[in-house]
Amino acid sequence: QKDGFRFFMEKEIYEQSDVVSDCMIGRIQDNSINFDEISPELLDGINEIKICACGTSYHAGLTSSYLFERLAKIKCNVEIASEFRYKEPLLTKDTLFIVISQSGETADTLEALKMAKKAGLKSVVVCNVDNSSMTRVADFTILTRAGIEKGVASTKAFSTQTVVLWMLALYFAKINSSISSELLQSEIKALREVPKSLIVEDRIHEKTKRLSKRYLHGHGFFFIGRDVFFPLALEGALKLKEISYLHAEGYPSGEMKHGPIALADPELFTIALMPQNLLYDKIKSNVEELSARDSTICSISSLEFELCDDFIKIQETNHYMLEFFEMLVVLQLFSMEISIRLGNDVDMPRNLAKSVTVE
Ligand code: M6R
């Protein structure tokens, strides 16, 4: 059952390295990416990707939008399914419609998928549950192979979704000839390193336990990041909200000065995602601005920045997506440890259900 872990969430955090390895089996072969579930013709006539999802799955979608554009050079936009449903969206057949869902049953995402099908769009679902409602509606299903996820707070579903979408971006990039073989090889090399980045280090788990003691007194939290670290900041904030019931917001760090920085004070805790391999100096200057206004700042990075009050050191790597997964584990442990200290039911937080089958 829980195999000695305190909560299913904890067990599932620790499982991520293995399930991500499983999700790559047969998909990364030698030096290429392959998806037996879909065919290269899927991209025929496609100029754009639209992604729809809810909650954590939406964050995986938002992360992948950077990768689809950067690697596959396909325009990509992402929408929250409950918004998409009622906005009378303009759908054109040159758009590939991708929905992402752990359960495959989320009412709003399922309805968005049905709308796209009705409009004649080609569709793909990235899903963890075979034979779920979405897999029966979508033209193609890509399974994330995370195994059953019991904790309401999604962990291993997110890491596997993100890896699948990264591989898909590379698969599309290859079909589109939009990537050099050198870059493709270095991306595949990085992908193979993801399971290692997801191994929970005792040192890091201990550090999040220690910090949780102080950070549970926060009056509010900002999680900040840029690029793919912005959706990761959203995910960090969502994890904290849903199991600790503390107010947290994820923000693109460059946007802080357009309003939110007015809230900065020592009781406002900022968790700064500071990847060494992507826009480090930009986020550093955003952190400087917050520090000058006395916010209490904890950075997650491979480099220590002296203006931060606390520092959780991740392994040094040579790819920003590896930093992404290293930081993901820290964020998950951080929210879980705060929730445990507050005496909450980590696996079954109040007011929430694992699968949201009503709108
Ligand atoms: O099953 P789905 O991925 O469609 O679920 C979507 C959201 O309800 C889900 O990710 C939710 O936000 C999680 N509890 C977040 O941890």
Side-chain angles (χ1 to χ4, degrees), residues 9 52-59 100-110 126-129 134 149 151-155 157-158 161 235 238-239 242-243 349 352-357:
M9 181 185 180
C52 259
C54 300
T56 287
S57 298
Y58 167 76
H59 299 153
I100 307 165
S101 175
Q102 189 285 129
S103 61
E105 303 295 345
T106 301
D108 287 318
T109 312
L110 179 60
V126 174
C127 188
N128 195 36
V129 181
M134 286 181 217
E149 190 181 62
V152 165
S154 192
T155 52
F158 177 78
Q161 286 165 347
E235 176 59 8
L238 178 62
K239 285 293 87 97
E242 71 178 327
I243 59 174
L352 294 172
K354 181 67 186 158
S355 188
V356 185
T357 52

Side-chain angles (χ1 to χ4, degrees), residues 62-90:
L62 203 55
T63 304
S64 72
S65 67
Y66 292 84
L67 304 174
F68 282 118
E69 297 209 347
R70 181 169 295 149
L71 300 167
K73 311 288 181 218
I74 306 175
K75 197 155 65 158
C76 180
N77 64 67
V78 193
E79 296 199 42
I80 291 174
S82 56
E83 284 300 306
F84 173 83
R85 282 181 68 175
Y86 297 105
K87 67 184 274 203
E88 299 179 31
L90 285 178

